[in-house]
Amino acid sequence: FIRHGKQELTVMKKQKKIFSQIADEKSPEWNKFLGLMKKMVVDSNAAAQEKGLEAVLVYIENSAVAGKTVGEVMSGLVTKCVAAPKTKTKELAAQIALMYVEIEKQEIVMEELLKGTEQKNPKIVSGCVNIMTQAIREFGIKAINIKPLVKRLPALLEDRDKTVRDETKVMTVEIYRWIGVALNPQLTSLKPVQVAELESEFEKVKGEKAVPTRYLRSQQAKQAKIVEAAEVDEGGDGDECDDGGAQDIDPYELMVPVDILSKLPKDWQEKVEAKKWQERKEVLDALDQMMQGNPKLENGDYGDLVRALKKMVTKDSNVVVVALAAKCLGGIAGGLKKRFQPYATACIAGLLEKFREKKQSVVTALRDAVDAMYISTTLEAIQEDVIAALENKNPSVKAETAAFLARCFTKCTPVILNKKLLKAFSAVLLKTLNESDPTVRDSSAEALGTAMKVVGEKGISPFLTDIDNIKMTKIKEACDKAELQVKQPKVVAKKPAPAAERPASAKPSAGSTAPKPVKRPDGSATKKPAAGKVAAPKKATSSGASASTKNKAPVEREMSPEEVDEKAEAIFPPDLLSGLADSNWKNRLAAVEQFHQLL
């Protein structure tokens, strides 16, 4: 295939021409060239290499099998192109990497570029960082997983090479543009001077709306419709419907998990059962200190630890120890989040009952703990324990449980707070709404008002019977004040379809940032109805037409993956959706169980 100087150059030019002439993206002709892609990228002749990169770019943009080459081509780009002396070579390397992202191979692209940041040659490192920055800027963080990049930031920002540090600084600011203050906890290990420098740069982009300028192939059809709709609606803003824009990121997702179980002293179990409360407090202080610096915990068997802490919360006679044990229990629940699910139900009942304690430090610690535990469980799972606590004789237990339930409702959608649960909770809250203790009444009104905010007045009205006007006013006031923490489903008014479809736009050039049509095999001949059938006049009577209309079964419109994602985000809590896609099977299992409970 490759010989010497001029021959190489001629061959590369010829390959580009051949690739440009293949009209069908699924043509078997593309398969003939799969093994040549890396050779074209790593050619030792600079001029031939440049023409080879141009040919590879055309291949990736137009071939349906191009994704098979991503690993070897990206490896060649990192070692032979990103640090090349010629600017054109470096630019083409970046365009090829971004084109692979466009055809949905972003994970492998970012993985190879991240490997490149571990190379000894600083020019390769800075080149890889530069391309990753471009990928984030153009495609956004819904397409590009930034978690592995964030973990590498501190090391790259302290690199010996100034160019590497400067390029990483640019990438850090770009990531901040998308996720905002969620990035800050990841920069705490940097020197104060570096933090001050970055904060100065962050101020320049603060409040700036980050939106992608380029889209994955799967997103392009939707974006084209958005643009078209914006043009039909004069003055319409397509950005409002944009998919892939800046989103809220939980700082927890970017943190490195820490194993605290291995750091516990061997005699930990003996110390938590010591007779002197000072000794029990001392071991809890050490545990609390470990979790304060490491809010995300590693997977492990926390059963013994959780059981010991729960016993201290529910049985210990010293309020200082109880408060500290509750704080540690909340820290573990917060550090594990969804992974705390196996322990949540067993703990919540005991903690709700402990609200009989009047010491404010204990009450505060218990509130934080049950709130952290609710993240890992569901309303249905804790329903019996909550109702039992609302029926407790102690007014403090009733008041705090109702307040806890109100906070749970703020994290609900109408699908989560379904009629069955709403009926059960409303029935017991109506009883506590008539208690003699004013705190119990206020907390009950707050819970009912928050539920009203979630399902609407119409949704809760059938369950609010025999309530006087004063209490109903109180519930409605609580409804107005309630602030829901999850996105509620939106009712979108459908616009009538335009009378005629617009003709498809011309194919953009390689590396275009505009949504573009991809060549598909022409199947119009098999899908198009016969001309005679289309032209045939309707001879049926009006009654016949009416009958045929009735008999015609409604056809459901097939939704795009983006529309499915949008509807899922409106119905299900964000932690459930992220859990379903989690790399850890235990987290996925917990999410599936939660999903099953919701259904």
Side-chain angles (χ1 to χ4, degrees):
F1 172 68
I2 294 178
R3 301 278 194 278
H4 303 286
K6 291 182 180 179
Q7 284 180 304
E8 295 173 8
L9 190 58
T10 304
V11 169
M12 296 299 185
K13 288 179 180 178
K14 185 179 178 182
Q15 288 302 138
K16 181 182 177 183
K17 188 177 180 181
I18 292 171
F19 296 159
S20 302
Q21 290 172 345
I22 302 175
D24 182 1
E25 68 162 8
K26 293 186 178 178
S27 169
E29 288 294 311
W30 294 114
N31 294 310
K32 296 178 183 179
F33 307 102
L34 283 171
L36 304 179
M37 292 300 103
K38 184 173 181 180
K39 294 177 183 177
M40 299 168 80
V41 166
V42 300
D43 197 288
S44 57
N45 183 286
Q49 183 190 37
E50 188 177 302
K51 290 300 176 185
L53 290 169
E54 290 177 2
V56 170
L57 182 57
V58 175
Y59 185 94
I60 299 167
E61 186 176 18
N62 294 286
S63 168
V65 296
K68 295 179 180 179
T69 65
V70 61
E72 59 181 13
V73 171
M74 282 304 304
S75 174
L77 287 179
V78 169
T79 55
K80 297 292 183 181
C81 300
V82 298
K86 294 183 72 174
T87 303
K88 181 74 178 291
T89 302
K90 289 187 281 191
E91 289 174 354
L92 283 167
Q95 287 180 43
I96 288 171
L98 296 174
M99 186 54 70
Y100 273 126
V101 173
E102 185 176 307
I103 66 168
E104 323 271 340
K105 295 297 176 183
Q106 63 270 36
E107 289 184 9
I108 300 173
V109 170
M110 300 306 285
E111 183 183 333
E112 291 296 331
L113 291 172
L114 208 54
K115 285 181 189 175
T117 63
E118 297 172 0
Q119 293 271 352
K120 292 181 180 180
N121 186 342
K123 290 183 179 179
I124 292 178
V125 177
S126 60
C128 289
V129 172
N130 179 273
I131 296 173
M132 288 191 289
T133 304
Q134 289 184 59
I136 298 167
R137 184 182 296 120
E138 293 188 18
F139 291 96
I141 59 173
K142 279 193 176 179
I144 305 296
N145 179 15
I146 60 170
K147 293 176 192 176
L149 310 188
V150 171
K151 291 175 184 176
R152 283 283 292 150
L153 287 179
L156 292 170
L157 285 166
E158 294 178 345
D159 195 274
R160 290 180 297 177
D161 187 83
K162 185 178 184 301
T163 309
V164 172
R165 293 197 304 273
D166 290 344
E167 287 289 353
T168 307
K169 185 176 171 182
V170 173
M171 183 167 73
T172 306
V173 174
E174 184 59 34
I175 291 173
Y176 180 86
R177 200 167 70 90
W178 289 89
I179 68 173
V181 294
L183 181 62
N184 291 349
Q186 309 308 308
L187 307 176
T188 52
S189 62
L190 297 176
K191 296 172 184 174
V193 177
Q194 289 175 303
V195 173
E197 259 182 54
L198 287 170
E199 286 178 348
S200 174
E201 294 298 320
F202 292 163
E203 282 298 318
K204 295 176 185 177
V205 297
K206 200 171 184 179
E208 187 178 310
K209 185 181 180 183
V211 292
T213 58
R214 188 170 174 178
Y215 301 93
L216 304 180
R217 289 277 166 91
S218 61
Q219 297 173 329
Q220 289 176 5
K222 181 181 178 183
Q223 291 303 317
K225 288 179 183 176
I226 291 171
V227 172
E228 186 174 337
E231 289 175 1
V232 172
D233 288 346
E234 291 182 6
D237 184 6
D239 286 344
E240 290 179 7
C241 304
D242 183 52
D243 181 46
Q247 62 190 64
D248 292 334
I249 294 258
D250 185 353
Y252 177 89
E253 296 300 323
L254 303 175
M255 294 174 185
V256 179
V258 175
D259 180 13
I260 62 165
L261 294 176
S262 63
K263 297 178 181 178
L264 291 174
K266 292 180 180 179
D267 58 347
W268 192 87
Q269 195 69 39
E270 296 172 13
K271 287 187 175 180
V272 294
E273 294 176 356
K275 290 184 179 180
K276 291 184 178 180
W277 71 268
Q278 289 93 340
E279 290 181 19
R280 299 196 299 275
K281 178 181 178 295
E282 184 182 338
V283 74
L284 290 175
D285 278 329
L287 178 61
D288 179 46
Q289 194 63 37
M290 275 193 285
M291 286 189 293
Q292 281 185 2
N294 304 298
K296 184 175 184 178
L297 302 181
E298 187 60 85
N299 292 330
D301 184 1
Y302 289 82
D304 292 340
L305 179 58
V306 169
R307 281 188 288 273
L309 291 171
K310 179 195 169 188
K311 184 178 179 182
M312 295 177 87
V313 170
T314 56
K315 304 290 185 184
D316 205 289
S317 58
N318 187 284
V319 291
V320 176
V321 172
V322 170
L324 197 49
K327 185 181 178 183
C328 290
L329 206 48
I332 293 171
L336 293 173
K337 286 193 182 285
K338 280 292 177 187
R339 294 167 291 156
F340 190 78
Q341 186 262 342
Y343 321 110
T345 309
C347 290
I348 285 179
L351 267 62
L352 291 177
E353 191 177 345
K354 193 66 180 179
F355 273 123
R356 65 180 181 272
E357 177 62 57
K358 293 182 179 180
K359 191 82 172 177
Q360 191 57 43
S361 60
V362 175
V363 172
T364 302
L366 289 171
R367 283 176 187 164
D368 293 341
V370 291
D371 286 353
M373 289 175 190
Y374 176 68
I375 295 171
S376 68
T377 187
T378 64
L379 276 178
E380 193 170 10
I382 63 172
Q383 178 185 349
E384 291 183 12
D385 293 329
V386 170
I387 290 175
L390 286 169
E391 293 173 344
N392 193 291
K393 293 179 180 179
N394 189 300
S396 296
V397 173
K398 290 180 181 179
E400 288 296 336
T401 302
F404 165 62
L405 195 55
R407 296 194 297 274
C408 293
F409 288 161
T410 64
K411 301 176 180 71
C412 292
T413 63
V415 174
I416 297 171
L417 187 56
N418 55 50
K419 286 185 178 180
K420 181 183 175 183
L421 290 173
L422 189 62
K423 181 180 180 180
F425 286 126
S426 297
V428 69
L429 286 170
L430 286 177
K431 293 178 183 177
T432 54
L433 188 65
N434 292 307
E435 288 281 335
S436 58
D437 189 293
T439 310
V440 176
R441 294 198 303 271
D442 290 345
S443 296
S444 302
E446 183 187 358
L448 288 167
T450 309
M452 182 182 285
K453 185 91 168 190
V454 175
V455 302
E457 188 172 347
K458 187 178 178 181
I460 200 173
S461 291
F463 309 114
L464 300 183
T465 54
D466 301 327
I467 298 182
D468 60 50
N469 292 335
I470 296 174
K471 289 187 176 68
M472 183 57 81
T473 302
K474 209 166 190 177
I475 291 171
K476 288 182 178 178
E477 285 175 359
C479 176
D480 293 335
K481 292 177 184 177
E483 294 182 6
L484 304 184
Q485 297 178 22
V486 293
K487 190 191 292 184
Q488 300 297 305
K490 294 179 182 178
V491 179
V492 181
K494 292 185 178 179
K495 298 176 184 177
E501 290 187 4
R502 297 168 181 260
S505 57
K507 175 186 167 186
S509 59
S512 168
T513 58
K516 65 185 183 194
V518 182
K519 294 181 186 176
R520 304 290 178 210
D522 186 9
S524 57
T526 57
K527 295 180 182 178
K528 198 179 291 183
K533 290 183 181 178
V534 174
K538 293 182 181 179
K539 295 182 181 179
T541 61
S542 59
S543 60
S546 173
S548 67
T549 305
K550 286 181 181 179
N551 293 334
K552 188 177 180 181
V555 179
E556 289 188 4
R557 181 178 67 82
E558 187 174 343
M559 292 190 293
S560 67
E562 291 73 28
E563 288 176 295
V564 173
D565 289 344
E566 191 175 325
K567 288 185 180 293
E569 288 172 4
I571 295 173
F572 301 112
D575 53 355
L576 187 150
L577 295 175
S578 63
L580 289 172
D582 199 285
S583 58
N584 187 296
W585 71 268
K586 290 183 180 179
N587 297 346
R588 294 198 302 276
L589 177 61
V592 170
E593 288 173 348
Q594 184 186 359
F595 182 76
H596 180 69
Q597 288 173 344
L598 291 178
L599 293 179

